[in-house]
Amino acid sequence: MKKIAALFLTLLIFSCQTNKEEIALSKTANSNSFNAKVTDLVSKMSIAEKAGQMTQLNIDVLMVGEVFNLEEPHRFDPEKLKKAIIDYRVGSVLNVGGHAYSLEKWHQIINGIDSAAKKTPLKIPVLYGIDAIHGANYTMGSTLFPQQLGQAATWNPSLVQKGAEITAYEVRASGIPWNFSPVLDLARQPLWSRFFETYGEDVFLAKQMTHAAIKGYEGENFGDPYHVASCMKHFVAYSMPFTGKDRTPVYLAERQLRELFLPTFQEAIRSGSKTIMINSGEINGIPVHANKKILTDLLRDEMGFKGLAVTDWEDIIKLNTLHRVAPTLKEAVKMAILAGIDMSMVPNDYEFTDLLIELIEEKEIPMSRIDEAVSRILQLKLDLGLFENAAAPSLEDYPLFGSEEFAQAAYETAIESISLLKNDNDILPLPKDTKVFLTGPGADEYIILNGAWTRTWLGRARAYDEENKLTVLDAMKMENDLLSYEKGCDLRASKNTDAALTKARKSDAIVVCVGEQPATEKPGDINSLDLEKAQLDYVKQLQETGKPVILVLIVNRPRIVSEIVEGSDAVLMAYQPGSEGGRAISDLIFGNANPSGKLPFTYPRFGASLITYDHKTTEDLDTGFGMAAFNPQWEFGHGLSYSNFEYSDFKISSDTLTEKGVKVSVTITNSSDLEGKEVVQLYVRDDFASITPPVKRLRNFDKINLKPQETKTVEFQLYPKDLAFVDKNLTWTTEAGSFTVEIANQKKTLVYAP
Ligand code: BGC
């Protein structure tokens, strides 16, 4: 096994994309038939056993105490364990009882469930699922990466793949084979509480990250003990609530749904993702959990998904109680299963299972639908190797869990994610002998660096701070002997401001880390996108001292900071950089590292002007009838470096685009004395089209490293299909006509004449 671990490590370091891998991945994705063992098992199962397989319970239901209020230390209640696994034969268990567990504790849990499953007649193993969304965040001591939004800001898919590989390794070390990640919703509504859980606003960038994540989670050889089943979520358009509040109605034309919200899921299916979780909300008045057109006609028949579809939390119950499309819970169960749900994240009682049994017995749901759902569940268990062994692994086989080496990968991801948005007069990097005053609610808070889904659901409990991990204060102190610190302000109220201002006045430069309370889902709903007033006021007071101010944003979404940008000499967007984030922020500030992150979304200047970069031309029209209405604080793709990159020699191999494609090339020179990374971004505008075209769309990118004074030429192939959009017949099409191709403000016209 140790050898396997070493091999894994080599793969981790040298993994690269080959055609062979692509072919293998799409083969897995398309395998339709069920294994003979699965068919045989299904033929032997009773109705109750089948309904049990389709049930997923919260671990709390099996433990001593009440759901959400377990007795410490958490432990199985033998009666409850027996009821769930032996009497009801539930197919799946999820989550943690309120907080993260040690590896040893996880092993007790997994083995306890597995021993019970072995006592059932068919000995079907239980599938455990967990949200490990920026590392194995529910296992103590695991490696914590930047949240997905920060990962996207690296514009470096190989880092995202490596992060997913490490996460899979550490989740498997805990004995868990199924991860409810990645989130493939697009972040086009900045108010939404789960903005940080996405790969940003753009389809192309998010697709690249999706592919990398699925490959990282599931590996080349699905079912090996170092990878997990991924779960693409939340299908579909969950991220676009009209009000900006979580799980509120979405109104969306099918054309937009297809052009913006399906491609990441289609990419994940192509990459082999084994499972999918459904959007808790409604689209155009129909809850997705009850929508057969979306869950079967679109997802299965059209998009070709063959894997397992699980509901989100209590979503069948909500068809009855919240969405009110089902007058009874029984009706809700019938609706969801007939629409195409395979497994219900019930998750806190047995009503779903009892009602499903009744519905099957009454022939309200055909056995063929049930057998299909159960077969998908069993096939996944088989492919994961759970029939051979579903017990917790030996810790010896996971020597790299929580290792320095894994922490280094998280650090590199954090370094490449953090985006330098402003740097007047090259104030950054700061010389190490600067008298720095560090302040703000995010400066000495580990939980703010990590955000939600960190050791607890909301990530707010300081009890799980890791002693060996550094806050920004810890890290900066190690670099700067002259550093002084005062919090000066809490998230929502001032704190020792006078003392802070006194220290600020005595400093040479002020670094202020503003932040946002870790939050997700409903608790993350906000009524204003503005950064909290107390923090804005405090930063203004700091600016009044006349000292240079470096503003560090550690936020879940683009909180409006326009009032304090002008008075800040530099701005660093840190996203939620994870457990190595303190070190990364400090190293970027003091020049131990060079920033290369680029915004994966448009940073708005005003709360009532939330326009994405790929908006329509009409959105540029301003009140004076000029074309300056699109005026974000910072544009999508923006991010500075301490190096200088010069673009030249922008060429397209032909003025005319045919099916053979054209080569677009550009030369980039690092004219500084500092090695650095640059993201070369290729945008194309469809000049005229039958559906109003966006002003531009990202069609390709490449992140390159340049030594001082080094020059490189980057080439992109561009084919007609790369310029396609969804037309009025709902098909992807590239219309003849002219296109404007743009790299770093250099533009050329290309004509497509098929
Ligand atoms: C979230 C999902 C998550 C599930 C299980 C739900 O409330 O929407 O993203 O996977 O809980 O924790």
Side-chain angles (χ1 to χ4, degrees), residues 94-95 131 180 194 233-234 247 277 312-313 521:
L94 88 152
N95 259 5
D131 297 287
F180 305 134
R194 306 185 76 171
K233 67 187 189 184
H234 309 76
R247 291 172 158 89
M277 189 185 293
D312 202 343
W313 189 269
E521 303 188 51

Side-chain angles (χ1 to χ4, degrees), residues 204 207 657 661-662 682 684 697-700 716-725 732-734 739:
F204 185 85
K207 268 173 69 179
L657 177 67
V662 291
L682 170 74
V684 181
R697 287 190 70 175
L698 181 73
R699 296 303 192 179
N700 215 332
F716 300 105
Q717 281 299 128
L718 202 59
Y719 296 97
K721 69 172 174 41
D722 299 327
L723 308 179
F725 65 95
W732 283 94
T733 218
T734 306
F739 293 83

